[in-house]
Amino acid sequence: MGNIELSGSQYLYEKPEALHSRDHADLKFVVDDRLLAKVGAVQVVPLLVGEFTQAMHHYPIVFGGPEKTPMAILGMKEGQNLFMKDGRFEDGVYVPAYLRRYPFTLAGTEGDDFVVCIDRDAPGFEEGGDGQSLFEGDEPTEFTKNAINFLNEFEAERKRTQLFVEVLIEADLLEVKHTVTVPADGSERELIADYYGVSEERLRALPDNQLASLVRAGAVVAIDAHLLSLKQWDALIARRDRASVDQAEPEKDLENAE
């Protein structure tokens, strides 16, 4: 890693190292079941604003944390992803860019620069053997160049997402929301999640000139996608309940066998 000092931390990345031909000349990478299992075992994933219109068909999109980061909800508890089947995302389900870029990333240095990094502890990295080479001599391979291009696109979209959130905060559109179950049998309600979301009441109350500014900035499309995505809470709860039933049935069969 030379004299580069990395700052901050990123979800999923356990051992980030600055990518360099000097240190990783013989390193190869292959996507295997271990990597898919790690990427798949996530409940919450940061989401870019440009992904809202695709992600809204599958996941609730919420805002969370001190920075009100947009996030896709994939499960109901830590380590649970309800969209995985046989160790992979279900066919047709949108996979957030944050997961698709792994194990590559851009990390900040002590200055304002960014450096390309890999999670050296990611499953799939091996010295020699099969897999995609990261370098040919001192030059990155086509595989590595494609990964770097994706990182640059991701970073540009991350900045646009940050500006979008700042617009929402400045307009005071975010409020605390609660998702609860409403059982048909009249039993006690279950609190599913607390999060930040756009207040439709505050949005409707905006003066025309401020609303027009949101439209020109492209923010209204993302806001609508976010609000529509909240309908996915019911589908997510249904997935959880089906998964609980599927898990209980083998246990019941085992008991009957005994």
Side-chain angles (χ1 to χ4, degrees):
M1 292 175 56
N3 296 321
I4 296 174
E5 293 294 333
L6 304 181
S7 61
S9 60
Q10 298 185 42
Y11 179 49
L12 280 183
Y13 295 81
E14 297 176 7
K15 188 181 177 183
E17 288 185 2
L19 184 63
H20 198 287
S21 60
R22 178 185 62 245
D23 304 311
H24 305 117
D26 298 325
L27 199 62
K28 293 190 176 182
F29 178 72
V30 61
V31 175
D32 61 16
D33 290 342
R34 296 170 301 153
L35 180 79
L36 294 173
K38 178 173 181 177
V39 170
V42 290
Q43 175 197 7
V44 179
V45 178
L47 202 65
L48 301 171
V49 67
E51 300 181 277
F52 280 24
T53 54
Q54 294 168 286
M56 61 175 274
H57 298 291
H58 308 284
Y59 317 114
I61 301 170
V62 306
F63 299 84
E67 298 179 353
K68 311 296 190 298
T69 302
M71 300 181 294
I73 308 299
L74 282 64
M76 305 294 284
K77 60 184 179 181
E78 186 175 354
Q80 180 188 63
N81 182 342
L82 293 168
F83 295 86
M84 297 289 286
K85 184 176 182 180
D86 299 328
R88 298 174 183 271
F89 273 87
E90 294 177 5
D91 290 342
V93 170
Y94 180 74
V95 181
Y98 191 97
L99 300 181
R100 285 184 278 123
R101 72 172 183 167
Y102 186 81
F104 294 86
T105 188
L106 291 178
T109 66
E110 287 188 332
D112 296 328
D113 297 327
F114 287 91
V115 61
V116 176
C117 293
I118 58 172
D119 181 0
R120 190 62 184 83
D121 277 357
F125 279 127
E126 292 184 4
E127 297 282 351
D130 298 326
Q132 296 278 2
S133 297
L134 302 185
F135 292 95
E136 291 180 0
D138 293 334
E139 296 298 318
T141 61
E142 198 65 26
F143 169 77
T144 303
K145 288 178 182 177
N146 289 337
I148 293 172
N149 287 338
F150 187 80
L151 293 179
N152 289 331
E153 292 171 1
F154 186 98
E155 179 59 18
E157 191 67 11
R158 186 195 65 79
K159 291 178 179 177
R160 194 167 78 90
T161 302
Q162 187 175 10
L163 290 174
F164 168 70
V165 173
E166 290 173 0
V167 166
L168 298 184
I169 294 173
E170 184 178 353
D172 193 28
L173 289 178
L174 294 177
E175 65 177 359
V176 176
K177 290 179 177 282
H178 313 280
T179 292
V180 297
T181 59
V182 184
D185 59 6
S187 57
E188 186 176 353
R189 294 185 176 192
E190 175 190 3
L191 176 63
I192 298 297
D194 294 318
Y195 53 90
Y196 290 101
V198 171
S199 166
E200 294 184 67
E201 182 179 355
R202 295 181 192 177
L203 182 63
R204 287 193 296 269
L206 287 178
D208 290 346
N209 63 333
Q210 194 171 6
L211 188 57
S213 295
L214 291 178
V215 172
R216 285 194 295 270
V220 172
V221 172
I223 290 172
D224 287 345
H226 152 66
L227 292 172
L228 288 170
S229 80
L230 298 182
K231 299 181 183 296
Q232 298 298 337
W233 278 115
D234 290 340
L236 192 66
I237 293 168
R239 278 180 175 268
R240 178 200 63 177
D241 294 344
R242 287 196 302 270
S244 297
V245 170
D246 292 343
Q247 185 177 6
E249 286 180 348
E251 294 176 356
K252 185 176 180 180
D253 292 342
L254 184 60
E255 291 174 358
N256 293 337
E258 292 175 351

